[in-house]
Amino acid sequence: MAEVETMSKAEWQVMRIIWTLGQATSKQVIEILEKKTDWKAPTIKTLIIRLQKKNFLKADIGTRPYVYHPLVAEDDAIHQNVNDLFDSLCCMRKGMAINDLIESSEISQTDITKLIETLTKKARTAPEMVECNCLEADLK
């Protein structure tokens, strides 16, 4: 799978459209992003080309206009992106980061129920305190 950490915020915007639609032409992506942003068509086309070079998108060249398909599933990209971020955090700070994310995000009742279920299961085996992993063991 392509390394999601190489995807810029702007490229994520393009991918979100294509994931939502399942596939899209550059014209569709341009129309949507021109309404959402101040980007012009050449900028958006450049982003699509970059995503192809990074192996996130594939063009169906048998069609005119080209239809772009994602080469990475949205759930996989999100999972990789979140894990990459959390791998860079101190283990002692991950819980607070998750809490901050929940507090600042609009989430559905279904998502809240799932979070409660997950936390209830996790609480059964969770340690009282998580060890810091920022320093090597022999430096502590």
Side-chain angles (χ1 to χ4, degrees):
M1 173 168 38
E3 289 295 318
V4 174
E5 66 189 27
T6 66
M7 198 183 313
S8 70
K9 286 183 179 184
E11 290 166 346
W12 270 93
Q13 293 286 337
V14 172
M15 289 301 297
R16 285 176 52 201
I17 292 166
I18 295 173
W19 284 321
T20 300
L21 297 174
Q23 64 183 29
T25 64
S26 60
K27 182 179 179 188
Q28 289 173 296
V29 175
I30 289 166
E31 286 174 358
I32 293 167
L33 284 175
E34 283 182 335
K35 291 176 187 170
K36 288 178 65 172
T37 68
D38 60 355
W39 303 342
K40 302 294 179 215
T43 300
I44 298 165
K45 286 179 184 176
T46 298
L47 292 170
I48 291 170
I49 291 166
R50 280 192 209 155
L51 286 163
Q52 284 182 276
K53 288 179 181 175
K54 292 180 180 182
N55 291 316
F56 291 113
L57 284 181
K58 181 176 194 244
D60 181 355
I61 56 174
T63 62
R64 291 280 186 210
Y66 292 167
V67 176
Y68 295 91
H69 303 271
L71 291 176
V72 61
E74 183 177 18
D75 288 346
D76 292 342
I78 291 169
H79 181 78
Q80 184 182 342
N81 197 36
V82 168
N83 283 327
D84 287 347
L85 170 64
F86 273 77
D87 285 348
S88 68
L89 300 178
C90 173
C91 283
M92 293 176 63
R93 303 286 185 239
K94 289 180 181 182
M96 186 58 68
I98 293 166
N99 191 68
D100 288 347
L101 185 60
I102 291 169
E103 285 184 346
S104 65
S105 298
E106 184 176 343
I107 54 178
S108 70
Q109 290 288 327
T110 303
D111 289 339
I112 292 168
T113 300
K114 179 66 176 160
L115 287 166
I116 291 168
E117 289 172 6
T118 301
L119 289 171
T120 300
K121 285 181 198 172
K122 199 96 168 134
R124 294 182 195 133
T125 58
E128 189 67 32
M129 186 175 152
V130 177
E131 293 285 322
C132 175
N133 66 335
C134 297
L135 303 175
E136 294 296 325
D138 59 332
L139 295 177
K140 288 183 182 177

